[in-house]
Amino acid sequence: MTHASDNDNVSYVFRYFDVQGYGETTRMLLTFLKLDWSEELPEWPKEKENQPFGHLPVLVEKNSLGETAFVLSESQAIERYLARKYSLMPADLQQAARQEQLRDQLTEVQKYHFEYCKATGTRKEILVDKYREEASKLAEVHARVLRENGNNGHYVGDKTSYIDIAAYAFFKFFRSEGPRALEKQLRLFEPENAPEIAKLNATIEAEEDLAPYFASPANSTRPTTLFK
Ligand SMILES: N[C@@H](CCC(=O)N[C@@H](CS)C(=O)NCC(=O)O)C(=O)O
């Protein structure tokens, strides 16, 4: 894998809110890849009109002179840009697509939580049912893929890959206060129901290249969303 220590002399600014939300996978990737990066918390909504898609996160890539060279919106496009650029994504299209389908499934389920925070009345009840159905399927699919890879704490092979990191960020989100309200009745991702996921979590927490991520207190206390 090309870690950024073989540096291409670029640096990154990750512009987002101080929440896990749609940003945690990218924070983990930037750290894992040993990239030169910093976090920017813009004044909001003042800075909204200055963002290409009007929302965050946004990744800004700077060249060796510190000039903006590339600006990217949409969290999953950002993740995949980094994963591909630094060879964390398989070159084989089918192998890459297998990781991407698992990652997209995580986002679909996470969205139920975001919507649940804002919903009222019967819509809230519908979302609990939707979450139950989709999260149960997700737990089943992810446990199976992890099992089929030998239950070694990785989805693919024996090294940390893009989907390992995205899945860890997702399970972290649902272990946090707030999202736990949806998950806690089901306990789909808890060790007694999903030992494969527990093994993934432990493996990622022991990943040497993520040690700076786990050592930073900000990463263990960051709220899940902007919603109360
Ligand atoms: N599909 C987008 C969703 C981005 C999104 O909804 N961002 C929210 C925060 S998590 C935002 O910027 N909210 C403030 C606003 O839209 O004014 C992505 O994956 O990046």
Side-chain angles (χ1 to χ4, degrees), residues 212-225:
Y213 174 84
F214 291 109
S216 158
N219 293 331
S220 57
T221 54
R222 182 173 297 117
T224 50
T225 67

Side-chain angles (χ1 to χ4, degrees), residues 198-224:
K199 175 81 180 171
L200 164 82
N201 289 336
T203 306
I204 294 304
E205 282 168 12
E207 166 60 71
E208 212 175 294
D209 289 342
L210 281 167
Y213 174 84
F214 291 109
S216 158
N219 293 331
S220 57
T221 54
R222 182 173 297 117
T224 50

Side-chain angles (χ1 to χ4, degrees), residues 16-17 19-23 44-45 48 53-58 73-78 107 111 114 118 224-227:
Y16 196 41
F17 304 108
V19 293
Q20 294 177 43
Y22 287 120
W44 208 261
K48 185 174 170 73
F53 286 16
H55 57 221
L56 300 178
V58 165
S73 296
E74 289 299 327
S75 54
Q76 287 171 118
I78 292 170
T107 307
K111 278 184 186 161
F114 295 137
K118 293 185 269 187
T224 50
T225 67
L226 295 168
F227 317 115

Side-chain angles (χ1 to χ4, degrees), residues 20-32:
Q20 294 177 43
Y22 287 120
E24 213 56 18
T25 300
T26 299
R27 289 187 177 102
M28 292 183 76
L29 287 172
L30 287 161
T31 307
F32 179 74

Side-chain angles (χ1 to χ4, degrees), residues 46-175:
K46 192 171 154 233
E47 290 296 330
K48 185 174 170 73
E49 64 179 342
N50 296 326
Q51 311 312 317
F53 286 16
H55 57 221
L56 300 178
V58 165
L59 183 76
V60 181
E61 182 173 308
K62 304 210 168 189
N63 65 18
S64 54
L65 302 172
E67 299 158 339
T68 295
F70 185 49
V71 180
L72 195 58
S73 296
E74 289 299 327
S75 54
Q76 287 171 118
I78 292 170
E79 294 167 10
R80 286 162 192 177
Y81 172 68
L82 293 172
R84 289 208 162 86
K85 181 168 178 182
Y86 298 104
S87 310
L88 191 55
M89 192 74 112
D92 178 88
L93 289 179
Q94 291 179 355
Q95 284 177 25
R98 279 201 194 99
Q99 294 202 27
E100 291 173 62
Q101 65 175 352
L102 290 166
R103 202 280 170 266
D104 290 359
Q105 187 190 28
L106 299 170
T107 307
E108 286 307 306
V109 169
Q110 198 186 16
K111 278 184 186 161
Y112 291 122
H113 174 74
F114 295 137
E115 204 194 327
Y116 177 81
C117 292
K118 293 185 269 187
T120 52
T122 52
R123 182 66 194 152
K124 225 170 170 88
E125 289 162 30
I126 291 167
L127 286 166
V128 172
D129 287 345
K130 285 300 287 175
Y131 174 81
R132 183 178 294 118
E133 187 187 327
E134 298 291 327
S136 303
K137 182 49 87 179
L138 182 152
E140 181 193 314
V141 167
H142 284 246
R144 191 182 66 234
V145 176
L146 288 161
R147 227 174 13 252
E148 284 173 359
N149 192 47
N151 200 18
N152 64 355
H154 296 294
Y155 282 80
V156 192
D158 59 0
K159 290 193 177 53
T160 298
S161 64
Y162 168 51
I163 185 59
D164 289 347
I165 290 176
Y168 180 87
F170 171 89
F171 296 123
K172 172 183 171 176
F173 183 88
F174 278 99
R175 280 201 313 274

